[in-house]
Amino acid sequence: MVAPGQTPGYLQVQPTPTARVNECFLNVQEQVEAEGGQMLCGWQIWEWPNVLVEAEFHAVWFSLDGRLVDVTPKQEGEGRILFVGDPSLAYAGLAKDNVRLAIRDDLLIRHFIRVSEEIVKVMNRGERAGTYGYVSIPAHEIEPLMDARSLLGRSIAEGRREKSPCLCGSGGRYKYCHGRDFPW
Ligand SMILES: [Zn+2]
């Protein structure tokens, strides 16, 4: 359970003029200073149909007149988001990993979720924890992970399954090709 007792609902995205993508906490703080109201933390929910559901730690604005508004612009320009509030969550300066649930049982999806979690771990390791927004990671640590996620993401997007021929073109099934050597 992501947020017991809270019901997911759609919120309008109404970015303020100075708001930036991926900076929801700063954006909401600025909006509260300018217009009053308060910050509500919770989860923004994305669905990759038939593949997985992903919940991303997110902050929205609760206006003085009782509206919940997402003041953070979206990469893809979406006009609304699915959001579930969780008042027990508060932003403490640490990037919180997304929660991901597979919609069906397939090795490609399980590996995609594992490697996505590993990427966040590497980005949060040691003194990098607490850095919000910009992080610098040695290429040899992050590149194999990004390559694996890219291979898996493209495979799933093409409709491949764990028994399909591996995307690398070897002719073998993913399960016995790149899937067998998957180290994470
Ligand atoms: Zn392969």
Side-chain angles (χ1 to χ4, degrees):
M1 275 309 285
V2 165
Q6 300 278 322
T7 313
Y10 286 98
L11 302 190
Q12 296 299 312
V13 180
Q14 290 168 354
T16 48
T18 55
R20 279 162 297 171
V21 174
N22 290 333
E23 298 282 1
C24 59
F25 304 99
L26 291 177
N27 296 337
V28 175
Q29 260 165 25
E30 283 175 11
Q31 179 69 350
V32 168
E33 278 160 26
E35 308 257 339
Q38 45 182 302
M39 179 184 295
L40 178 65
C41 291
W43 302 90
Q44 179 173 347
I45 298 167
W46 308 90
E47 185 180 2
W48 185 354
N50 203 30
V51 176
L52 58 86
V53 176
E54 183 159 350
E56 177 182 0
F57 188 47
H58 191 57
V60 300
W61 179 53
F62 190 47
S63 73
L64 280 176
D65 58 359
R67 289 171 304 128
L68 269 187
V69 181
D70 190 357
V71 296
T72 302
K74 305 294 151 196
Q75 208 98 51
E76 310 290 336
E78 291 97 330
R80 63 175 198 170
I81 61 160
L82 187 57
F83 179 81
V84 55
D86 186 345
S88 72
L89 295 174
Y91 179 55
L94 270 178
K96 219 184 250 308
D97 189 11
N98 296 3
V99 176
R100 303 172 187 83
L101 296 171
I103 290 179
R104 55 185 163 81
D105 186 34
D106 189 279
L107 191 63
L108 289 166
I109 301 174
R110 289 204 300 277
H111 282 180
F112 183 84
I113 289 174
R114 284 281 304 123
V115 77
S116 300
E117 291 166 352
E118 196 60 31
I119 287 168
V120 175
K121 263 190 230 157
V122 167
M123 294 181 48
N124 279 337
R125 195 176 291 152
E127 55 192 328
R128 292 174 204 135
T131 311
Y132 188 75
Y134 301 96
V135 284
S136 158
I137 315 279
H140 71 273
E141 285 185 45
I142 200 77
E143 267 174 9
L145 293 162
M146 300 304 271
D147 289 348
R149 184 164 69 172
S150 161
L151 179 97
L152 288 160
R154 282 180 291 135
S155 300
I156 296 165
E158 284 182 12
R160 291 173 196 259
R161 304 288 173 108
E162 62 188 31
K163 290 178 180 164
S164 305
C166 191
L167 187 69
C168 72
S170 69
R173 294 173 175 185
Y174 172 77
K175 198 173 174 174
Y176 301 113
C177 182
H178 275 74
R180 193 180 51 190
D181 299 328
F182 187 85
W184 300 286

